Amino acid sequence: MTDKRSDLKKIIMDTKTLPTLPGVIQKLNTLSDNDKSSVQEMAKIVSSDQVLSARILRLANSPSYGFYRVSTISNAMILLGVNVVKSLALSSSIFAIMEKDSVGLWEHSLGVGVAANLIARKLGLPECEEIATAGLLHDIGKVIIPLKCSEAEKTIQKLIYERQIFTMEAEREIIDTDHAEVGGWLSKSWFLPDKLSEPIAFHHDVAKSENHRIKTAVVHIADVLIKASGFGNSGDCFVPSIQKIAWDALKLNEQLLAELVDEVEDKLVEVKNFSLEMMSE
Amino acid sequence: MQKIPLMLAKAGMTIARDVFRGDSPIGIPICGKGTLLTDSLIARFDNMDVQSIYVEGHPVWEEGERSFDDILHELDGRFIKTLQEPLNAMLYDIYKSYLIKSMGGDSDRQAE
């Protein structure tokens, strides 16, 4: 491992907090102040934000709690209790400095979460909620890279724009690693279960996923679908190749894909409404 | 007919399909099709957790005046790197026909 890469890995392993969108925090605070709001309502807001979800899962999986690997938001919220989630949301507001251009990445993540859920349900796969969470968190590496190496991030953006290449190619060239690997490191150091960390780390290289290949394949296809629809912004605007191994693992065919496109696009109208609501707060 | 996010609904649009509560999409409709939208009606839908509605015509155009050609052009741009691969080419064709179907073709836009 080269110096640049191991330095970055060390920094990421030490990362305890990530900034999230102010709109999400505000909405959660309003809900927690209202006696009439339910855990379900809070869970819905939490699972719309990749950063807050990651933080709650980190807490639920921390060795001090001693729970056995928690992989869904709703389980984590039930185990931690509403009060802990409340205080986590409040403490997040201190770090709520995510910029406006992060909205695109947030929309992309939310879109992939929704698409992953639709694919999993359509194929009748077990653990749909875990797959949706993995989809939501798949680009968490893209949240952390600009934060930990803001100079390198500027060069990466410049490279994507000038040479019209994939985000990943630019990342490899500048920081000698990529957002998938970085996301994998983060999820390992936060003790997230394999069923989440594998799809995060290998959503661009499904063949490397050994224990949770189906879940990784769903997240990969969901990512491709959202990139194809042009919803949100994940750095570059190019649709990645559909990996044959993912296609075969899910036993997809043309008709299924066409139905999925219809369903995903239909659902994205609602996701758009949600994101418009968030931004107007 | 177009499915739009409730946040983009405006008074004066006409509902094209019955509206259901957000938490019980197969329950009793809360508003019938053909109703003219008003601001208070939109606020009520919002309270009932309605996320999206179907309206007559195609009143909402994303990001200003993107024509159908522009939308197809953007689709081409997104697929520029991977269109030579058979699976991606398949997805491209599916998306293209989806867009043509959902926009009602170019003629719909001209007519409005």
Side-chain angles (χ1 to χ4, degrees):
Chain A
M1 197 182 277
T2 57
D3 285 350
K4 227 191 288 177
R5 203 157 148 237
S6 54
D7 285 354
L8 185 60
K9 184 168 181 180
K10 200 167 165 291
I11 294 171
I12 282 153
M13 290 303 206
D14 285 338
T15 302
K16 303 277 189 294
T17 53
L18 288 174
T20 186
L21 290 174
V24 178
I25 303 297
Q26 267 170 29
K27 194 137 187 165
L28 205 54
N29 283 345
T30 327
L31 270 183
S32 65
D33 287 341
N34 183 352
D35 295 340
K36 284 180 188 159
S37 58
S38 65
V39 186
Q40 279 78 12
E41 280 174 281
M42 288 181 79
K44 199 180 144 202
I45 303 297
V46 170
S47 29
S48 73
D49 184 70
Q50 79 270 37
V51 172
L52 200 55
S53 295
R55 295 189 62 189
I56 284 177
L57 286 169
R58 166 174 178 250
L59 195 62
N61 284 292
S62 75
S64 56
Y65 271 97
F67 295 132
Y68 182 73
R69 296 297 164 101
V70 185
S71 50
T72 68
I73 308 295
S74 50
N75 282 351
M77 285 190 65
I78 290 163
L79 288 170
L80 295 172
V82 176
N83 283 332
V84 174
V85 175
K86 239 191 242 182
S87 57
L88 197 68
L90 285 170
S91 74
S92 301
S93 53
I94 303 165
F95 305 99
I97 44 159
M98 223 187 193
E99 293 156 37
K100 267 281 172 206
D101 36 309
S102 310
V103 171
L105 180 60
W106 176 72
E107 278 188 335
H108 170 74
S109 304
L110 186 54
V112 172
V114 166
N117 195 4
L118 280 173
I119 298 171
R121 282 181 200 283
K122 184 154 191 81
L123 302 177
L125 301 176
E127 304 186 304
C128 293
E129 206 181 332
E130 276 88 347
I131 296 175
T133 309
L136 181 70
L137 302 182
H138 80 288
D139 268 351
I140 199 83
K142 285 187 188 161
V143 177
I144 200 167
I145 292 174
L147 230 58
K148 299 297 166 185
C149 7
S150 50
E151 280 307 310
E153 173 67 14
K154 278 181 204 142
T155 324
I156 292 171
Q157 293 302 334
K158 205 167 139 236
L159 223 57
I160 297 171
Y161 180 75
E162 277 173 5
R163 280 203 246 143
Q164 295 285 305
I165 51 175
F166 284 112
T167 309
M168 249 188 127
E169 296 172 317
E171 286 167 345
R172 288 226 183 96
E173 196 169 321
I174 304 297
I175 53 173
D176 200 28
T177 176
D178 58 68
H179 65 272
E181 190 176 35
V182 167
W185 292 338
L186 188 77
S187 49
K188 277 272 182 290
S189 80
W190 284 14
F191 299 103
L192 301 191
D194 284 353
K195 50 180 106 166
L196 298 181
S197 65
E198 273 198 20
I200 294 171
F202 306 126
H203 68 272
H204 286 294
D205 194 354
V206 179
K208 281 195 186 145
S209 174
E210 285 171 359
N211 304 316
H212 298 283
R213 186 165 291 172
I214 298 283
K215 290 188 178 66
T216 309
V218 173
V219 173
H220 167 72
I221 299 289
D223 189 28
V224 172
L225 285 182
I226 295 298
K227 299 280 287 193
S229 90
F231 188 80
N233 176 9
S234 66
D236 62 70
C237 64
F238 306 113
V239 181
S241 314
I242 298 176
Q243 292 177 4
K244 188 81 172 57
I245 187 166
W247 180 268
D248 292 341
L250 301 179
K251 301 187 183 71
L252 287 176
N253 57 47
E254 189 168 359
Q255 199 203 334
L256 269 175
L257 190 63
E259 289 170 15
L260 279 170
V261 166
D262 267 3
E263 286 165 28
V264 167
E265 282 294 325
D266 193 59
K267 196 79 187 167
L268 283 181
V269 178
E270 275 148 53
V271 178
K272 189 73 199 169
N273 186 57
F274 191 72
S275 103
L276 287 169
E277 261 179 25
M278 283 296 172
M279 295 316 130
S280 66
E281 301 252 328
Chain B
M1 186 172 70
Q2 185 189 14
K3 186 182 182 187
I4 59 168
L6 188 67
M7 289 291 284
L8 296 181
K10 297 245 163 29
M13 293 178 179
T14 310
I15 297 171
R17 271 195 205 174
D18 290 354
V19 179
F20 296 88
R21 292 183 77 104
D23 50 9
S24 65
I26 45 166
I28 302 163
I30 51 176
C31 189
K33 61 181 174 194
T35 312
L36 204 63
L37 276 179
T38 60
D39 286 331
S40 67
L41 198 55
I42 295 170
R44 273 202 205 153
F45 287 164
D46 193 29
N47 285 338
M48 293 190 192
D49 208 21
V50 174
Q51 298 286 329
S52 60
I53 53 171
Y54 290 87
V55 291
E56 297 286 1
H58 203 294
V60 176
W61 294 92
E62 272 177 72
E63 289 156 36
E65 292 296 296
R66 277 198 313 170
S67 71
F68 186 63
D69 286 342
D70 288 344
I71 290 173
L72 277 189
H73 186 69
E74 284 175 22
L75 183 73
D76 289 345
R78 292 198 290 271
F79 275 91
I80 201 160
K81 279 179 180 291
T82 45
L83 198 57
Q84 72 283 6
E85 292 167 38
L87 288 177
N88 281 60
M90 185 199 287
L91 181 62
Y92 173 83
D93 289 339
I94 289 173
Y95 249 101
K96 194 166 181 175
S97 43
Y98 169 81
L99 286 173
I100 292 169
K101 193 177 67 185
S102 72
M103 306 292 290
D106 203 25
S107 53
D108 190 30
R109 172 99 174 118
Q110 304 292 326
E112 278 179 44

